[in-house]
Amino acid sequence: MTLPHKASLAPDSERLALATASKDDLICSADEIFDSVFVDARLSDAIKNSSDNATLRAETVRILRDAQKAGREAISDSFSQRPFDARPLTHSYTYLTDQMVRTAMRVATEHLHPLANPTRGEKIAVLAVGGYGRGEMAPSSDVDLLFLTPYKITAWAESVIESMLYILWDLRLKVGHSSRTIKDCLRLGADDFTIRTAMLEQRYLVGDQTLAQELEEHLKSELFKGTEREFIEAKLKERDERHLKQGERYMVEPNVKEGKGGLRDLQSLYWIAKYIYSVKDVAELVPMGLFTPEEFGEFVQAEEFLWAVRSHLHLVTGRATEQLTFDLQVEVADRMGYEDRAGRRAVEVFMQRYFREATRVGELTRIFLTKLEASHMKGAPLLERIFRRRRRIKAGYRVVHGRLDIADPDKFLSDKVNLLRLFEEGLRTGMLIHPDAMRLVTANLNLIDEDTRNDKEARRIFLDLMLKHGNPERALRRMNELGVLSAFLPEFEHIVAMMQFNMYHSYTVDEHTIQCIVNLAQIERGELIEELPLASSILERSVNRKVLYVALLLHDIGKGRPEDHSILGAQIARKVAPRLGLNKADSETVEWLVRYHLLMSDMAQKRDISDPRTIRDFAKAVETVKRLDLLTVLTVCDIRGVGPNTWNNWKATLLRALHADTKRALESGMEVLNRANRGAEAKKQLRAELENWSKADLKTETGRHYDPYWQGLNLATHVEFAEMLKSLEDSGDPAAVEIRLHPDEDRDATRACFAMGDHPGIFSRIAGALALVGANVVDARSYTTKDGYVTDAFWIQDAEGHPFEASRLPRLTQMIHKTLKGEVVARDALKSRDKIKKRERAFNVPTHVTFDNEGSEIYTIIEVDTRDRPGLLYDLARTLAAANVYIANAVIATYGEQVVDTFYVKDMFGLKYHSEAKQRGLEAKLRNAIAEGAERAAS
């Protein structure tokens, strides 16, 4: 397809012109790519001096390999100077390959297997098919060849083909080949659409030209004609299956070739156009009315950009790599000359351009396919057309092929607010908007000016699109893709197609925002009651829906700038909310929600929510139950909108507990958080659960623990530790270790409980043992007893973020025992296991270490925010233990490649770390441990 070029089914003269490739359309001079005169001279010498065919073939390969190396270097060097010039690049690789194939053919037919008087059956034509036939070759593209013979292949033709293939294979070309007659092509093409598509793009290279022309005529008259609808349906089915396999357009590691909005979508469009209209390039669709000149320009721009990206991928990896993985995104962005901008890395700027082009590919495809429907090439199933029920449409609209179109464009544009009413009518009727209507809107976005944004009716319509019709996603996504959302909310434009370069976010910022609103709408519709009981119950009560939807729409609007996006977003919300028609009180609530939209998530995942001070501080921040409810729902939607696998029972449990405790504190007063009150209730529950125990044993168990133990663990864990400590006492062995691993389904984790005699460094040794068995720690609690024991509870997950399978638990327990006994030294064993994967090395996560003496009444909170890797918790815990720091508990929050490890600690005298000198000393030791581990992981 590439940009305007001669097509494969061209007349003889045009085909010959393409076969020799336009020398004006190459990335450097033709002689730099393939010096024909020099190669011919060397071949002549080789022919004279070769005593046999084997020697001549070897010499041919050596000569062509030198030419190939020089040509590829010339192309690559020129591309590095013009990194966006994809069209000349693809033509240059095609030109180089053409010359090598022709040379191989010439040597094979004239010198290795000469034939003085060939019969009619001893003719052969070599054709390029597939992408090579189109004249589009990336640096590592396959070379697909069709060897065409008039009848069954002769011994001579077989010898020629074999010699040619050996030459091309020795040149390390990835040759895909088939040897067929014209009848074979017609028979196979009738049954297989992949073969038929390849035939559609056949291009004569060398050999018997009459034979190639004959194939072309037979294909048109016997294979293509009358099968247009069949071909379209097959290509659209292929596209849908490909999209299902590759994922959404907005996935942050897209496949440039096969992904949604990728090159294959553009190629499918071209194949269909060529099959139906026999066009030689996409430019011919403009006079047919299928594309406007502007849309064709966008097609050219998108295709050239995607081809440039794909070509850089091939050059960086030295192979046919199509997946734009994180590590390659950085390299490709650098090769294409992208630079860091304020608040954003070069790779994020590059990927924003990528996603915008991919979005436009989707729009162009939709426009083209709908035009085909208008031409009756692809219709809805008959029964669907007969029985489909539609709501009556309002005046000014019409239905075209089941889609909502505009009856009178001039009249429509006379009222600017109609640009929003169109989407409202689409939601009201349940109809998709016709591409002609979309085109009209896109071409007139300038009408959405300051007057429109402040128009009372426009505000109503915009809010109703989110609040009234039960499906805000459809309107918001279409408005976003067409540019209407950014026109009505100019502040939104900055985050459109913006990628956040990390492993945590699965979507671009605008898509994440829409996904959040999708989740809110699903909760409202009662679709997630079982999965999200708390959020569902909140929405069943009287909450301000308008505030929630607007806050979600604006919560990340400050991203991509140097400032804290929550603070900047709140400042933007302060201006936008009143403009959308919200009153003063609602605007202030929206501003507060945007400012503190991460507060609940951070409190739940980075702090010990069993600590009364955590609840007290959070309650003071939210002030009212109304705000607490709104923030809870917003937080749930925000986390779920990050990616398909981000939400889990662990996060749900934390948020539910934080909401319940905070609500109780706000409604009943802060005194309900008193440690003694909570401890007394926990002991009462334990006594009831252990009713078969003697009073003496119960008294021992309830009296041996300090207050934090009773509020930090649930009843099931209290029971577990009571039984473990009793077993230790009954054993009489002071060196005994009790280990119990059980699935904790409520938290999507495995609970690992350890009980043993207390001695320094136990926490770090357990962390090391868990790292060795591949466990990711998500939470950890450590409590000493008054009678010399330690009880440590760790919640762990496997590498996929799930609880360990029950069948693996005995082996895990055995390995942990070995490590705790010193039979395996974690520090040594981890050296070969804590490597960072290549695709993850591109992420830069700066390390931050903070000390907080206000967040807990009895502990200093050390928060370490850094790059995650296997064994990190062990390194940090070991460092703290070596500095005589007592770790009471650790809370671990992971965000892709970033982790926040929070430790609640005391010094060896049971005091907080108030001294700045001590804090700086500890920070230096922690940073050193992180740096050493990072160096080891990168080696």
Side-chain angles (χ1 to χ4, degrees):
M1 164 194 27
T2 308
L3 315 175
H5 65 265
K6 299 300 180 186
S8 31
L9 299 184
D12 293 355
S13 58
E14 290 182 351
R15 208 188 304 112
L16 281 171
L18 181 59
T20 54
S22 169
K23 296 188 178 182
D24 296 329
D25 201 17
L26 304 175
I27 201 159
C28 53
S29 73
D31 288 343
E32 288 181 85
I33 296 171
F34 191 90
D35 190 338
S36 302
V37 174
F38 183 61
V39 169
D40 286 350
R42 291 186 65 191
L43 278 174
S44 294
D45 290 342
I47 291 162
K48 290 175 188 173
N49 299 324
S50 296
S51 56
D52 54 40
N53 280 1
T55 305
L56 176 56
R57 198 176 77 190
E59 281 299 300
T60 301
V61 169
R62 188 171 64 82
I63 292 165
L64 287 179
R65 188 176 290 147
D66 290 344
Q68 179 190 36
K69 183 181 177 184
R72 293 182 74 86
E73 284 178 0
I75 295 169
S76 178
D77 289 346
S78 297
F79 192 45
S80 67
Q81 300 299 313
R82 297 156 55 190
F84 287 87
D85 284 4
R87 179 188 180 197
L89 176 91
T90 58
H91 287 181
S92 296
Y93 281 114
T94 302
Y95 177 78
L96 176 61
T97 308
D98 284 356
Q99 304 312 311
M100 290 190 290
V101 171
R102 288 199 191 93
T103 303
M105 174 72 164
R106 196 171 80 236
V107 170
T109 54
E110 295 178 13
H111 303 288
L112 297 177
H113 311 286
L115 201 60
N117 296 301
T119 64
R120 167 66 181 155
E122 289 174 322
K123 291 183 178 179
I124 187 169
V126 183
L127 286 78
V129 294
Y132 179 36
R134 279 194 309 276
E136 289 181 342
M137 291 196 77
S140 297
S141 289
D142 293 351
V143 179
D144 292 325
L145 297 175
L146 168 63
F147 295 99
L148 189 66
T149 55
Y151 313 115
K152 185 178 178 181
I153 194 164
T154 64
W156 171 81
E158 205 167 69
S159 298
V160 167
I161 294 168
E162 182 180 304
S163 292
M164 276 189 71
L165 288 175
Y166 275 119
I167 290 172
L168 297 175
W169 284 333
D170 287 345
L171 291 171
R172 301 289 187 269
L173 293 175
K174 289 182 292 180
V175 181
H177 64 96
S178 56
S179 304
R180 293 176 185 145
T181 64
I182 292 175
K183 284 186 178 179
D184 291 336
C185 292
L186 295 173
R187 176 175 52 82
L188 294 168
D191 299 330
D192 189 320
F193 282 100
T194 302
I195 294 174
R196 195 184 303 190
T197 306
M199 291 292 99
L200 180 68
E201 299 185 301
Q202 53 85 15
R203 173 172 63 91
Y204 169 77
L205 283 175
V206 66
D208 192 294
Q209 194 175 341
T210 305
L211 188 59
Q213 181 68 37
E214 196 178 330
L215 171 66
E216 181 179 320
E217 290 166 358
H218 280 286
L219 287 173
K220 283 182 176 178
S221 60
E222 297 177 37
L223 186 60
F224 300 159
K225 191 174 181 181
T227 60
E228 291 86 356
R229 177 173 292 192
E230 181 187 13
F231 183 79
I232 293 168
E233 298 288 356
K235 288 294 121 183
L236 294 184
K237 184 182 176 188
E238 280 177 20
R239 186 194 65 164
D240 293 342
E241 289 171 354
R242 192 175 66 248
H243 289 174
L244 197 63
K245 181 180 177 183
Q246 292 296 331
E248 288 298 315
R249 180 187 304 130
Y250 308 97
M251 298 302 278
V252 291
E253 288 185 293
N255 187 304
V256 180
K257 182 181 178 184
E258 303 287 350
K260 195 169 185 178
L263 280 166
R264 188 66 84 200
D265 281 358
L266 288 176
Q267 288 162 356
S268 297
L269 186 154
Y270 172 71
W271 290 330
I272 292 171
K274 185 172 180 56
Y275 203 95
I276 298 168
Y277 302 111
S278 299
V279 299
K280 297 179 179 63
D281 65 56
V282 179
E284 294 177 41
L285 298 178
V286 176
M288 294 179 184
L290 292 164
F291 278 153
T292 65
E294 293 76 21
E295 286 161 352
F296 171 68
E298 289 167 350
F299 181 101
V300 170
Q301 176 180 298
E303 188 185 36
E304 184 124 22
F305 178 80
L306 292 172
W307 265 108
V309 172
R310 185 184 182 211
S311 298
H312 285 296
L313 269 177
H314 285 203
L315 289 169
V316 165
T317 60
R319 54 193 171 86
T321 304
E322 314 299 351
Q323 195 84 28
L324 197 50
T325 54
F326 291 126
D327 54 323
L328 294 175
Q329 289 171 14
V330 175
E331 290 196 56
V332 172
D334 183 59
R335 288 178 65 97
M336 295 183 76
Y338 285 90
E339 297 178 350
D340 293 352
R341 295 182 187 172
R344 300 178 66 199
R345 291 181 63 180
V347 65
E348 293 176 321
V349 180
F350 159 62
M351 290 305 294
Q352 184 171 36
R353 166 81 188 274
Y354 178 90
F355 288 117
R356 288 189 171 186
E357 296 295 354
T359 299
R360 197 60 190 131
V361 168
E363 289 301 307
L364 292 169
T365 305
R366 185 162 35 245
I367 288 167
F368 177 73
L369 292 178
T370 310
K371 281 293 185 181
L372 285 187
E373 284 186 356
S375 305
H376 307 289
M377 290 298 182
K378 177 181 180 291
L382 182 61
L383 287 175
E384 186 183 335
R385 291 203 301 271
I386 295 171
F387 294 109
R388 184 192 294 150
R389 296 181 65 185
R390 293 289 185 190
R391 296 184 66 172
R392 291 185 62 182
I393 57 171
K394 291 183 178 179
Y397 300 99
R398 59 176 184 159
V399 179
V400 178
H401 293 285
R403 285 178 169 80
L404 188 66
D405 200 3
I406 293 156
D408 184 340
D410 291 335
K411 189 175 180 181
F412 177 85
L413 294 174
S414 66
D415 184 349
K416 299 174 182 178
V417 180
N418 280 336
L419 293 171
L420 292 176
R421 287 196 184 101
L422 172 66
F423 298 95
E424 183 180 44
E425 184 67 1
L427 282 189
R428 190 188 70 81
T429 59
M431 290 187 198
L432 297 174
I433 298 172
H434 195 281
D436 284 349
M438 294 186 202
R439 280 167 154 172
L440 188 68
V441 168
T442 305
N444 292 278
L445 289 175
N446 59 301
L447 295 178
I448 302 177
D449 53 17
E450 205 60 34
D451 289 341
T452 313
R453 294 180 200 112
N454 289 302
D455 184 273
K456 192 174 180 181
E457 175 70 358
R459 292 170 172 176
R460 179 201 64 75
I461 293 169
F462 183 77
L463 290 176
D464 279 357
L465 290 173
M466 292 192 288
L467 296 166
K468 190 175 177 182
H469 302 282
N471 187 12
E473 172 192 7
R474 210 178 87 197
L476 288 175
R477 178 164 285 118
R478 187 65 68 242
M479 289 168 73
N480 188 36
E481 290 174 347
L482 297 179
V484 176
L485 188 53
S486 295
F488 191 71
L489 279 181
E491 296 84 356
F492 198 84
E493 211 281 333
H494 184 72
I495 63 169
V496 172
M498 177 190 286
M499 178 208 183
Q500 300 165 86
F501 190 66
N502 57 53
M503 289 168 57
Y504 181 58
H505 291 90
S506 297
Y507 305 110
T508 53
V509 181
D510 56 334
E511 178 63 16
H512 161 69
T513 300
I514 292 172
Q515 290 291 339
C516 292
I517 290 172
V518 168
N519 274 281
L520 179 54
Q522 287 178 318
I523 299 169
E524 278 201 302
R525 293 195 297 266
E527 296 173 9
L528 302 173
I529 292 174
E530 200 171 304
E531 194 173 349
L532 303 174
L534 174 59
S536 298
S537 67
I538 290 172
L539 285 178
E540 283 175 7
R541 303 195 292 270
S542 179
V543 295
N544 194 321
R545 298 175 61 242
K546 189 187 297 184
V547 163
L548 256 181
Y549 274 99
V550 173
L552 270 179
L553 182 67
L554 303 178
H555 79 282
D556 274 348
I557 206 161
K559 281 199 168 176
R561 297 174 173 93
E563 305 95 325
D564 182 317
H565 84 277
S566 299
I567 297 172
L568 182 59
Q571 293 168 358
I572 294 171
R574 191 183 306 157
K575 297 176 183 176
V576 172
R579 197 171 76 219
L580 291 176
L582 275 67
N583 62 37
K584 189 173 185 291
D586 287 351
S587 295
E588 287 174 354
T589 305
V590 167
E591 181 185 344
W592 184 89
L593 285 169
V594 174
R595 172 65 184 88
Y596 295 106
H597 72 271
L598 295 175
L599 177 63
M600 190 172 192
S601 176
D602 285 348
M603 281 289 189
Q605 296 185 73
K606 299 180 187 177
R607 289 291 181 267
D608 177 7
I609 59 173
S610 68
D611 190 319
R613 180 66 69 87
T614 301
I615 306 299
R616 188 175 293 123
D617 290 348
F618 182 60
K620 285 179 180 177
V622 296
E623 295 181 345
T624 66
V625 174
K626 174 188 166 187
R627 275 188 175 178
L628 173 65
D629 285 347
L630 289 169
L631 184 58
T632 300
V633 176
L634 185 144
T635 303
V636 169
C637 294
D638 191 14
I639 295 173
R640 289 174 64 87
V642 165
N645 302 311
T646 310
W647 181 259
N648 56 31
N649 282 347
W650 178 256
K651 290 169 185 169
T653 301
L654 292 174
L655 290 173
R656 280 199 291 267
L658 180 56
H659 179 275
D661 287 347
T662 307
K663 184 179 181 183
R664 191 163 64 250
L666 289 169
E667 290 178 339
S668 306
M670 298 295 178
E671 59 274 7
V672 300
L673 301 175
N674 183 284
R675 285 181 187 274
N677 292 342
R678 298 172 80 180
E681 180 61 28
K683 290 176 186 178
K684 181 181 176 183
Q685 290 177 352
L686 181 65
R687 289 190 192 100
E689 192 70 22
L690 300 177
E691 58 183 356
N692 295 328
W693 280 35
S694 68
K695 286 186 177 180
D697 286 343
L698 277 174
K699 186 176 181 181
T700 300
E701 177 59 26
T702 55
R704 68 174 14 137
H705 300 286
Y706 296 100
D707 284 348
Y709 173 87
W710 296 109
Q711 66 193 36
L713 300 170
N714 61 18
L715 177 61
T717 313
H718 285 151
V719 171
E720 188 87 85
F721 276 130
E723 293 172 349
M724 293 169 75
L725 290 169
K726 195 168 188 300
S727 295
L728 285 176
E729 288 187 325
D730 292 346
S731 74
D733 180 2
V737 177
E738 278 283 317
I739 302 174
R740 295 191 185 181
L741 274 62
H742 292 294
D744 189 339
E745 293 178 3
D746 288 343
R747 301 191 180 194
D748 271 345
T750 298
R751 186 185 66 218
C753 291
F754 304 85
M756 66 196 85
D758 189 19
H759 53 275
I762 287 177
F763 187 95
S764 66
R765 287 173 63 192
I766 294 174
L770 293 172
L772 273 181
V773 296
N776 292 323
V777 178
V778 291
D779 198 3
R781 306 296 166 103
S782 181
Y783 303 100
T784 54
T785 68
K786 297 171 185 176
D787 53 351
Y789 291 105
V790 62
T791 53
D792 284 357
F794 286 72
W795 280 265
I796 58 177
Q797 294 176 332
D798 64 17
E800 304 302 317
H802 303 301
F804 282 91
E805 293 177 10
S807 59
R808 293 184 62 188
L809 298 184
R811 190 162 176 215
L812 290 180
T813 306
Q814 183 184 17
M815 185 64 182
I816 293 166
H817 266 296
K818 284 185 176 181
T819 309
L820 291 178
K821 288 178 182 176
E823 295 174 20
V824 177
V825 180
R827 189 173 185 179
D828 297 335
L830 277 170
K831 285 181 181 177
S832 61
R833 303 192 190 188
D834 61 356
K835 306 301 180 191
I836 294 174
K837 295 175 184 175
K838 184 175 181 289
R839 68 177 274 270
E840 299 173 8
R841 290 181 183 173
F843 299 107
N844 299 323
V845 180
T847 295
H848 299 286
V849 181
T850 58
F851 290 78
D852 176 10
N853 280 308
E854 302 301 321
S856 175
E857 292 174 3
I858 56 177
Y859 301 113
T860 292
I861 302 172
I862 303 177
E863 185 178 287
V864 182
D865 185 339
T866 191
R867 176 74 158 84
D868 194 18
R869 58 175 170 79
L872 173 67
L873 179 64
Y874 168 62
D875 284 347
L876 297 177
R878 182 168 48 83
T879 301
L880 292 173
N884 296 314
V885 177
Y886 165 66
I887 301 172
N889 50 54
V891 181
I892 292 88
T894 306
Y895 307 91
E897 77 285 357
Q898 178 186 4
V899 68
V900 180
D901 287 354
T902 305
F903 300 94
Y904 282 68
V905 304
K906 295 177 180 177
D907 68 12
M908 61 192 300
F909 303 108
L911 302 174
K912 288 185 177 184
Y913 283 89
H914 285 290
S915 162
E916 283 193 24
K918 285 185 178 179
Q919 290 182 8
R920 283 197 299 270
L922 273 180
E923 179 177 349
K925 290 175 181 176
L926 289 169
R927 285 184 176 275
N928 187 52
I930 291 167
E932 286 181 359
E935 189 176 332
R936 187 174 65 243
S939 62

